[in-house]
Amino acid sequence: KPEASGLEKLPVNATFQKAPLGDSNALALQNTSTTTVSLTVRFSNASGSKDFHVTLEPGAVKEIGWLGDWVLASGDKAEIKSAGYETIVKTAP
């Protein structure tokens, strides 16, 4: 169903899964379209937020949030944005 914003649905599947290492979650992003998609992913919690820029080729999958500058914890929010598309909002389990 189209959102009230009139924007297209972002052609990305976003799911949380167990990180390959450690005890944390990872956010898996899959491009479901036939074109390259550029995303901004903002992770946030009560302590602050951080933006990550991700480019996904058609069909590509990328996991973020388990290694590097932000390790996802339960309750962290992920906002996935791309110009011209609806924003996807997910909360880490």
Side-chain angles (χ1 to χ4, degrees):
K1 71 179 191 196
E3 292 293 316
S5 65
L7 296 175
E8 277 187 63
K9 187 172 187 277
L10 185 58
V12 170
N13 283 336
T15 55
F16 288 102
Q17 53 198 43
K18 185 98 172 82
L21 298 170
D23 247 359
S24 61
N25 288 304
L27 177 64
L29 301 168
Q30 180 182 20
N31 180 353
T32 59
S33 75
T34 56
T35 58
T36 300
V37 179
S38 294
L39 306 170
T40 299
V41 180
R42 171 170 286 166
F43 290 138
S44 61
N45 61 25
S47 302
S49 66
K50 178 143 182 75
D51 288 353
F52 295 86
H53 300 285
V54 178
T55 300
L56 292 173
E57 299 297 322
V61 177
K62 180 163 178 74
E63 290 182 357
I64 60 174
W66 62 275
L67 196 60
D69 293 344
W70 190 283
V71 177
L72 279 167
S74 181
D76 285 2
K77 191 161 93 172
E79 291 180 75
I80 302 123
K81 299 179 182 185
S82 185
Y85 293 99
E86 291 176 20
T87 298
I88 297 172
V89 179
K90 298 271 186 176
T91 302

